[in-house]
Amino acid sequence: MKGIIEVEQLQTFYVLEYLGKKKTVKAVNDVTLSIPENEIYGIAGESGCGKTTLLKTLFASIEPPLQLFEGKVSYLIKNNFVNALTLNGKEKRELRWTYISYIPQGSMSVFNPVKKLKVTYMDFLESHVRGKAGRELLSLARHHLEQLGLSPQILDAFPHQLSGGMRQRIAIALSTLLKPQVILADEPTTALDVVAQRAVLQLLRDIQQELKNTFVLVTHDMGIHANITTSMAIMYAGKIVEVGPTQEIFSNPLHPYTQFLINSLPRIGDKSSKKSVPGAPPSLLNPPSGCPFHPRCPEVSDICQDKMPALNNSTHKHKVACWLRREPSV
Amino acid sequence: MSEILKARSLTKIYSLGGLFSRTKITAVDRISFSIQPAEIFTLAGESGCGKTTTARMILGFEYPTAGELLYEDQNLTEVRDKKAWFKKVQAVFQNPFETFNPLRKVEDYFFETIHNFHLGKNEREAEELIEEKLQAVGLSFCDISGKYPGELSGGQLQRASIARSLLTNPSLLIADEPVSMVDASLRMSVVNLFRKLCDSFQVSVIYITHDLATAYYISDRIAIMFRGHIVETGPVDQVLENPKHPYTKLLIESIPQPDPQIQEKAPIKFLEEREEYLRKGCKFSGRCPEVMEICKQKVPDDTSLDGTVVKCHLYQK
Amino acid sequence: MGVLKDLFKDYRFSVGFILICFLSFLAIASFFSPYDPIEWLQVPRDKAPSWSHLLGTNSKGQDVFWEATFAIRNSLIIALIAGLISRVIAVLVGFIAGYKGGIYDRVLMGITDGLLVIPLFLILVLVAMLLREALTLVSTGLLLAFFGWAWDARTIRSQVLSLREREFTLTSVLSGNGTLSLVSKEYLPLTIPLIFSTLINNIAWAIGMEIVLAILGLVSLDIPTLGTTLQWAINYQAMLLGHWWWILTPVILTILLLVALYWFSISVSEYLDPRMRIQRIGAK
């Protein structure tokens, strides 16, 4: 089964050159993913594991120092696959907002503090959408907000009059204005407290149910993945280590890293002691050899240090990249 | 047992706005609580509930508008010597990457603390003390020696920050969202650390967070704050397993449970902070599912109930 | 030494540095001049460049080359006095206003804004006219210093204001640091690039201002500076009479000096930029 976005053996690295010294940060290192249609897809991983870079690449926004080394990202547009990374600037611009939207991290703080929200938005929309007058777009935006249960008067407010949660919800609501089929959201709930988080998640779910489109939600918070995603991928040091339906990942995590992540989550009513992963996250500048998790893995064996396991090609949707979970060789 | 810190009707009022339209916002409204020796006390609530303002008042970075803060029966507002105060009360902050100046070595802060508080007679004694505190947080001096903050991971920096705050052997440590920016895979080790410090060094910790799950995991007592009021306080098991105030119930229900089985939640109302601060009566009445007529008129009094104190008309006789 | 090695990889720094070395060398050479800088008619007048007079002679009967060495030296002295003293004022005002805030901030920024809104050029001309004969090197430098700090004090203040809100300020206070050590240890390293680039810009501004005052004839014209040399050349209609060597020498030297300062400043401030410094620290 093919998804709406297919990622094949993607490698995008940051190449930094400073005073003659060249450094390569392997942010996305050999990632293959299939993002299914009409659901909320989660990508989990801690800071600096390359998840934001992956999202930027999915959005086909590769700008120096980020460079594409290998692989491709295909969008499914009207039953045809289009390689997004070979499109030219104009073609990309045409797809943005109508086919694919990107909500960057901290987008709630991008509003111009001295302008009303609608002014910022009109400037932005007018530069992205051709053929529609400002007033038409504004009434469209108001209508859209109303449909999502947000007060349209909010557009007349200044950013500082609204809380972070409200600004984030408006940023999300307006990024879906032109009903894109894919929405990429980078840490939309970070820096919000639980109540505001819940309101944002509620909004994401509402939009998804209304538009029947695909959300790619990147966050480090496993609780949020459990709450809203249908299937998900776990990323570690630039690589995907586990993919599968969220329910299965939570009930039967296969990768030792995923096991740690899930078992270390505290719950109310459970006072048992929780442990976190030993050691520290690796640097993407020179990631460990073989499986990047091996220096921290409690079940490490010799082969882990030499070779990176591939995602096992079981017929199940739930796949893992770990030597421990290989089926015995035939 | 005697309390080490007591807050009595602590109040902080900010006035906002321009020359002509000043509005007064009571960020912290007559709150009272006390900290026992060697306990972890959580101040929980959503952003803008006054928890950070309370912390800043305890640290002496802000002066209370009214009320008093007593440390071993000495009123903090009368303490002129800030340095003597910081010897007893130290703090750990939210963002480990911002805790230390990026252009200075992490160890500089350790040596400075020792020098400024006269904790060691010579270099060797200073290093021994640093090593001891770093060991306590699971680091060693060679891990940080000669390093700049950019060379350490968030988890290491947060541990270093805790170790630095322990140098003066404080009796109270204020931790303002100390794990919200630490990587998920390391978070619990930092949380566990606070428990360990509390048990082995007899430090009391004021743990400030919006994450009730970790609060439940480590703390002894908890106070739930909402728009400047403490709406419910008591032993953490009591408050979180058997919440009474509708706001506490809402907070607990909002935690993203790590269980994909329960995905759907009832929609909630979401109001702006400013609007709620200026509300008459119970500040929560705007979105309370059990709101009554009296809630909109009068701020409820504190009511004791099963070992907890609740500020809600539902429980008032 | 590693610092210089890194800096020399930037061509702007290398060129700027070489130019500044060359000009300083000229300034030092003035001490070995065979002629007196003020005396007239020491050599035959209006001679084109030749081996005995490298850049020819002027209508006052002075050797243009040796005159130029004095001019560079004196202009640099004025600019350095102006730049350094105005930096001291700007840093003090900026830091105190930014860190202390409250009444200190309001009073200091009141004065600063006062200086900013008065038409600076007119005041300079007025003061220069009044003091004219008293305007030696040092007093010209002081005069420019007094009018040259206000804008930079504001810039430094705003940077300190934003630093004050960062968490490491609190860490430093909790480490027992007093105001003075907090400011010097935490804030100064982060503001050095700003101070340095404003210093170089200020030096360039002072050189330009001195030339303007000299051309208007508002400083003591006996002392050779880049400005007064130019003023004499214009006054004697050097261009019209075809004495190009006389007028081009100060013009070219001024351009070289300003270009050198500009390149020097952008490459050094790029190097000192905290973000770049953090990257370098991380790169080791």
Side-chain angles (χ1 to χ4, degrees):
Chain A
M1 198 192 76
K2 288 281 184 184
I4 191 159
I5 294 186
E6 291 288 334
V7 180
E8 282 164 57
Q9 284 158 356
L10 193 66
Q11 292 190 359
T12 42
F13 301 158
Y14 289 94
V15 180
L16 304 169
E17 203 171 335
Y18 183 71
L19 300 172
K21 275 176 236 149
K22 214 171 176 180
K23 291 190 293 182
T24 314
V25 179
K26 297 180 177 156
V28 174
N29 195 352
D30 202 6
V31 166
T32 300
L33 264 186
S34 167
I35 293 166
E37 224 169 327
N38 188 10
E39 67 171 62
I40 301 183
Y41 190 83
I43 297 175
E46 45 204 322
S47 57
C49 77
K51 54 193 195 310
T52 297
T53 315
L54 176 61
L55 217 53
K56 275 189 198 154
T57 317
L58 289 182
F59 194 54
S61 161
I62 299 181
E63 275 156 22
L66 187 63
Q67 283 182 19
L68 175 73
F69 275 69
E70 238 191 274
K72 63 183 199 180
V73 174
S74 317
Y75 294 164
L76 181 68
I77 305 173
K78 293 179 189 126
N79 291 323
N80 274 324
F81 273 109
V82 176
N83 187 349
L85 302 180
T86 54
L87 296 177
N88 62 30
K90 187 167 161 272
E91 289 167 327
K92 277 186 201 167
R93 265 198 305 280
E94 276 167 4
L95 287 180
R96 287 183 184 167
W97 285 68
T98 53
Y99 176 78
I100 190 163
S101 275
Y102 177 42
I103 307 165
Q105 194 165 5
S107 52
M108 58 186 173
S109 38
V110 299
F111 296 103
N112 183 338
V114 295
K115 283 183 175 171
K116 287 184 177 174
L117 289 179
K118 62 178 180 190
V119 180
T120 308
Y121 254 95
M122 285 312 108
D123 287 353
F124 189 60
L125 280 175
E126 278 175 358
S127 64
H128 278 74
V129 187
R130 307 269 149 76
K132 274 196 173 136
R135 200 170 305 157
E136 203 180 329
L137 284 169
L138 193 63
S139 71
L140 199 68
R142 285 186 201 279
H143 183 65
H144 185 62
L145 285 181
E146 215 166 349
Q147 269 187 333
L148 293 170
L150 298 165
S151 156
Q153 277 91 34
I154 283 172
L155 285 176
D156 296 311
F158 287 98
H160 66 88
Q161 293 172 316
L162 303 172
S163 64
M166 187 55 93
R167 268 179 285 155
Q168 183 66 284
R169 290 199 294 164
I170 291 172
I172 292 172
L174 291 175
S175 73
T176 60
L177 182 62
L178 300 174
K179 307 201 177 357
Q181 281 167 282
V182 185
I183 297 162
L184 310 170
D186 192 0
E187 299 274 9
T189 57
T190 310
L192 297 179
D193 56 67
V194 281
V195 179
Q197 244 176 33
R198 182 171 158 192
V200 168
L201 294 183
Q202 194 176 300
L203 180 75
L204 288 179
R205 204 178 284 128
D206 288 350
I207 295 174
Q208 202 275 331
Q209 271 164 11
E210 193 201 307
L211 298 180
K212 303 268 177 257
N213 59 0
T214 302
F215 266 93
V216 180
L217 180 71
V218 162
T219 171
H220 66 273
D221 190 334
M222 291 299 278
I224 296 202
H225 285 293
N227 254 270
I228 190 165
T229 64
T230 353
S231 51
M232 64 184 297
I234 312 274
M235 202 169 174
Y236 186 79
K239 293 180 185 291
I240 301 289
V241 295
E242 189 164 354
V243 290
T246 309
Q247 296 237 7
E248 274 186 47
I249 287 189
F250 273 83
S251 59
N252 181 27
L254 293 176
H255 199 280
Y257 176 64
T258 321
Q259 289 171 353
F260 265 118
L261 280 187
I262 289 170
N263 295 334
S264 72
L265 292 169
R267 290 156 214 243
I268 289 183
D270 170 15
K271 282 259 178 185
S272 66
S273 126
K274 305 283 179 193
K275 282 203 182 64
S276 56
V277 191
S283 149
L284 293 173
L285 211 59
N286 42 17
S289 63
C291 170
F293 190 61
H294 85 257
R296 301 171 77 185
C297 184
E299 301 171 74
V300 63
S301 62
D302 287 345
I303 187 164
C304 305
Q305 296 170 22
D306 302 331
K307 266 183 83 180
M308 172 68 197
L311 282 174
N312 54 5
N313 44 3
S314 72
T315 44
H316 294 306
K317 283 183 184 165
H318 190 176
K319 295 177 187 175
V320 63
C322 179
W323 289 116
L324 289 170
R325 316 281 180 246
R326 307 299 288 193
E327 292 89 47
S329 53
V330 190
Chain B
M1 219 169 10
S2 69
E3 301 95 350
I4 54 169
L5 186 87
K6 241 188 294 186
R8 277 204 212 122
S9 312
L10 197 61
T11 303
K12 177 81 194 176
I13 299 174
Y14 289 109
S15 45
L16 301 174
L19 219 49
F20 301 108
S21 61
R22 292 191 90 74
T23 40
K24 283 195 171 156
I25 290 221
T26 313
V28 174
D29 195 356
R30 285 164 290 154
I31 64 167
S32 302
F33 59 89
S34 59
I35 312 287
Q36 311 288 338
E39 73 161 345
I40 298 182
F41 181 77
T42 298
L43 271 180
E46 57 194 279
S47 55
C49 71
K51 53 193 197 301
T52 299
T53 310
T54 310
R56 290 178 65 91
M57 282 193 281
I58 299 172
L59 285 170
F61 295 146
E62 303 270 1
Y63 277 101
T65 316
E68 48 188 14
L69 262 173
L70 300 171
Y71 180 91
E72 287 167 354
D73 296 324
Q74 180 191 19
N75 197 342
L76 171 59
T77 42
E78 284 154 20
V79 174
R80 284 278 157 261
D81 184 7
K82 280 279 173 62
K83 228 157 103 177
W85 181 250
F86 293 143
K87 206 167 165 164
K88 299 169 192 155
V89 181
Q90 280 283 341
V92 176
F93 303 105
Q94 178 173 16
N95 187 346
F97 298 98
E98 277 279 299
T99 303
F100 301 106
N101 187 331
L103 294 183
R104 300 188 66 205
K105 289 178 187 149
V106 175
E107 64 182 30
D108 290 353
Y109 287 91
F110 285 79
F111 285 111
E112 261 167 38
T113 309
I114 289 174
H115 172 80
N116 289 331
F117 291 101
H118 315 291
L119 300 169
K121 283 186 212 70
N122 51 40
E123 187 97 343
R124 207 176 54 86
E125 266 187 46
E127 263 177 50
E128 269 170 21
L129 183 65
I130 295 174
E131 182 68 42
E132 180 200 323
K133 300 300 179 192
L134 284 169
Q135 291 281 345
V137 300
L139 290 172
S140 72
F141 188 56
C142 38
D143 288 332
I144 65 152
S145 152
K147 296 233 170 95
Y148 289 90
E151 297 174 273
L152 300 172
S153 73
Q156 281 176 313
L157 284 173
Q158 198 58 296
R159 282 161 189 276
S161 166
I162 296 169
R164 191 213 55 80
S165 69
L166 292 175
L167 285 172
T168 61
N169 284 322
S171 45
L172 181 61
L173 192 62
I174 293 173
D176 192 352
E177 301 272 8
V179 293
S180 70
M181 305 209 41
V182 175
D183 282 327
S185 71
L186 301 171
R187 186 168 296 172
M188 287 321 284
S189 66
V190 177
V191 172
N192 285 333
L193 191 57
F194 282 108
R195 186 77 255 174
K196 188 187 132 201
L197 295 177
C198 178
D199 294 341
S200 53
F201 287 88
Q202 305 294 303
V203 192
S204 298
V205 180
I206 298 186
Y207 178 62
I208 295 174
T209 186
H210 66 257
D211 177 6
L212 290 184
T214 55
Y216 176 82
Y217 179 70
I218 58 162
S219 53
D220 300 302
R221 289 189 309 127
I222 190 169
I224 310 279
M225 280 190 85
F226 182 73
R227 306 295 179 229
H229 289 291
I230 288 182
V231 295
E232 185 164 357
T233 177
V236 72
D237 302 8
Q238 274 287 344
V239 173
L240 294 184
E241 284 170 19
N242 188 10
K244 294 187 180 61
H245 197 284
Y247 178 67
T248 318
K249 289 179 190 162
L250 172 82
L251 267 188
I252 293 173
E253 201 198 271
S254 298
I255 300 172
Q257 286 292 330
D259 185 355
Q261 305 290 345
I262 24 173
Q263 286 210 333
E264 290 294 324
K265 276 177 186 161
I268 50 161
K269 242 174 138 180
F270 193 75
L271 292 175
E272 284 305 302
E273 193 180 319
R274 197 182 154 88
E275 188 187 332
E276 289 192 321
Y277 263 116
L278 298 175
R279 189 178 291 280
K280 223 171 79 183
C282 175
K283 310 273 185 208
F284 191 56
S285 59
R287 38 176 163 149
C288 181
E290 299 173 73
V291 62
M292 299 178 293
E293 215 29 65
I294 186 170
C295 303
K296 294 176 186 161
Q297 310 298 329
K298 199 171 153 269
V299 178
D301 296 322
D302 293 342
T303 317
S304 293
L305 205 70
D306 312 334
T308 63
V309 178
V310 190
K311 202 181 195 61
C312 179
H313 284 298
L314 283 176
Y315 302 95
Q316 251 169 359
K317 279 130 215 165
Chain C
M1 277 333 270
V3 177
L4 278 182
K5 223 169 119 186
D6 282 350
L7 276 171
F8 272 115
K9 285 187 183 141
D10 186 352
Y11 77 94
R12 292 170 306 191
F13 182 82
S14 317
V15 175
F17 186 77
I18 291 168
L19 280 176
I20 287 178
C21 280
F22 168 69
L23 294 168
S24 322
F25 175 77
L26 283 185
I28 292 165
S30 67
F31 290 105
F32 304 100
S33 165
Y35 308 106
D36 184 283
I38 293 167
E39 207 70 20
W40 288 35
L41 300 172
Q42 302 176 76
V43 289
R45 292 165 40 171
D46 299 336
K47 292 276 175 272
S50 65
W51 282 116
S52 49
H53 302 290
L54 275 179
L55 291 172
T57 63
N58 64 20
S59 307
K60 290 157 74 188
Q62 293 165 326
D63 181 297
V64 171
F65 173 79
W66 291 108
E67 227 16 47
T69 60
F70 284 107
I72 290 259
R73 185 180 89 191
N74 292 337
S75 276
L76 280 178
I77 289 174
I78 293 176
L80 279 176
I81 291 175
L84 290 175
I85 291 182
S86 67
R87 261 353 64 188
V88 172
I89 305 176
V91 168
L92 282 178
V93 170
F95 271 82
I96 295 173
Y99 186 72
K100 283 280 176 189
I103 187 80
Y104 293 91
D105 189 28
R106 256 172 284 155
V107 170
L108 287 172
M109 282 304 112
I111 298 171
T112 312
D113 290 342
L115 261 180
L116 279 175
V117 292
I118 54 167
L120 178 61
F121 184 67
L122 281 183
I123 295 289
L124 266 178
V125 169
L126 210 69
V127 175
M129 270 166 78
L130 288 174
L131 297 176
R132 191 144 181 190
E133 284 314 307
L135 276 185
T136 58
L137 292 181
V138 177
S139 50
T140 312
L142 288 178
L143 178 69
L144 292 173
F146 182 74
F147 287 103
W149 57 268
W151 186 254
D152 302 327
R154 256 200 171 283
T155 323
I156 292 169
R157 166 184 171 268
S158 65
Q159 177 130 12
V160 171
L161 275 181
S162 82
L163 288 174
R164 203 176 59 167
E165 295 304 314
R166 308 255 304 253
E167 271 176 10
F168 60 73
T169 303
L170 299 183
T171 312
S172 197
V173 172
L174 287 173
S175 300
N177 283 328
T179 307
L180 202 64
S181 59
L182 178 98
V183 166
S184 63
K185 288 181 195 159
E186 305 284 343
Y187 296 168
L188 207 56
L190 286 160
T191 38
I192 284 275
L194 182 68
I195 295 171
F196 188 80
S197 73
T198 62
L199 169 69
I200 295 191
N201 289 339
N202 198 262
I203 287 179
W205 171 81
I207 288 170
M209 216 57 203
E210 188 274 328
I211 292 175
V212 172
L213 290 179
I215 287 180
L216 293 175
L218 296 172
V219 292
S220 165
L221 292 176
D222 292 337
I223 306 167
T225 63
L226 289 172
T228 53
T229 316
L230 203 59
Q231 148 79 14
W232 281 113
I234 294 168
N235 212 9
Y236 273 75
Q237 313 216 314
M239 214 52 180
L240 209 65
L241 297 170
H243 303 151
W244 51 268
W245 55 89
W246 190 10
I247 199 158
L248 280 187
T249 303
V251 168
I252 289 173
L253 285 175
T254 309
I255 291 172
L256 286 182
L257 190 57
L258 293 182
V259 166
L261 285 173
Y262 175 67
W263 275 358
F264 200 69
S265 113
I266 51 176
S267 71
V268 171
S269 53
E270 227 167 66
Y271 183 80
L272 290 176
D273 182 341
R275 271 166 301 174
M276 298 295 279
R277 280 168 84 186
I278 293 160
Q279 255 194 24
R280 265 200 315 281
I281 292 166
K284 266 183 218 159

